[in-house]
Amino acid sequence: MKSASTQTLAVLLFLQTCNAFLVSPRSRIFTTSQLHVASSIPPPIEQVKVAPSTTVTHAVSQATSTTNLPSQKDLAEKVGSKSQAAAPAPKSTNVASGSGISISDIHYNGDVPRTEADEYIVISNKSREPIHVSGYYMYVATTGTQGPTFYFPKGTVIKGGSSVRVYTNEIHKESGGYSFGSGKAIWSNNGGLGVIKDSKGKKLDEYKYKPN
């Protein structure tokens, strides 16, 4: 009986010793070497994506070059100012309406019998510049109303300091080649009045004559 009790006590002591080393099934047991290796592993490095520097440099250089370029409006203004400075406005070949145009003489007593076709009125440009007289007209105003009338044709120019003649019914190219085309005398030998107006009807001059 004594040996059985001793054996029972030994078993109980053995079981108690084994319980001291029991570990929860959820727990992990690491050896000393494993703990040393785990502590020596560095933490993971976070990866940061950076755009290529060449792309940023290209964008900056492109923006800088675009900013420095002049706009189309600035270029147009510069070109326009240069062209205006290089090409001055052409000098006009015409003066103000009526400036310098006048009646300088009326040869009323012709030598041609009955019709006096060689009568004429002299129109002068007393300015230094040529004057376009297209549409200007003159007429006999002896009776106080507009009598026989002559219109200068389109494109007629009287040079500065020169004169032209308008005959009653003759053509003389050396003096302009103009004529009233009247089959009878139009300027009274007893005195009369001649009037010239521009193409808008503004009176430029009148010439009153008396017999000698």
Side-chain angles (χ1 to χ4, degrees):
M1 293 295 290
K2 185 175 180 180
S3 60
S5 301
T6 303
Q7 292 178 352
T8 302
L9 180 60
V11 171
L12 292 173
L13 290 173
F14 176 77
L15 292 174
Q16 186 176 2
T17 304
C18 291
N19 288 335
F21 292 96
L22 289 177
V23 182
S24 175
R26 295 183 181 180
S27 302
R28 294 183 63 184
I29 299 175
F30 296 94
T31 65
T32 305
S33 62
Q34 288 176 331
L35 290 173
H36 177 73
V37 172
S39 62
S40 63
I41 298 175
I45 300 174
E46 183 179 357
Q47 295 183 355
V48 180
K49 294 184 179 181
V50 180
S53 60
T54 55
T55 304
V56 177
T57 304
H58 178 69
V60 172
S61 62
Q62 185 176 7
T64 304
S65 61
T66 304
T67 305
N68 294 334
L69 290 176
S71 64
Q72 293 184 355
K73 181 179 179 181
D74 295 336
L75 291 174
E77 291 178 351
K78 290 182 179 179
V79 173
S81 61
K82 289 182 179 180
S83 61
Q84 289 178 359
K91 187 176 181 180
S92 174
T93 57
N94 195 6
V95 296
S97 178
S99 176
I101 295 295
S102 63
I103 301 173
S104 55
D105 188 25
I106 294 178
H107 181 69
Y108 60 90
N109 190 9
D111 295 330
V112 177
R114 294 180 300 176
T115 62
E116 298 188 41
D118 56 339
E119 296 174 330
Y120 59 83
I121 180 173
V122 180
I123 306 299
S124 300
N125 176 5
K126 295 182 179 180
S127 71
R128 296 181 179 180
E129 300 293 332
I131 298 178
H132 293 266
V133 294
S134 303
Y136 286 29
Y137 60 98
M138 68 206 69
Y139 58 89
V140 179
T142 303
T143 61
T145 59
Q146 183 173 338
T149 304
F150 170 82
Y151 289 85
F152 280 112
K154 183 178 180 180
T156 303
V157 177
I158 301 178
K159 296 180 179 180
S162 63
S163 301
V164 296
R165 294 180 180 182
V166 182
Y167 283 83
T168 296
N169 198 23
E170 290 184 355
I171 300 296
H172 295 270
K173 293 184 179 180
E174 69 277 6
S175 60
Y178 305 113
S179 174
F180 279 89
S182 176
K184 61 181 181 180
I186 60 175
W187 302 108
S188 173
N189 292 341
N190 297 323
L193 179 68
V195 175
I196 184 169
K197 295 184 178 182
D198 65 12
S199 58
K200 296 181 180 180
K202 178 182 177 181
K203 182 188 289 188
L204 305 179
D205 192 22
E206 63 179 28
Y207 186 90
K208 188 175 182 179
Y209 66 93
K210 294 180 179 181
N212 296 330

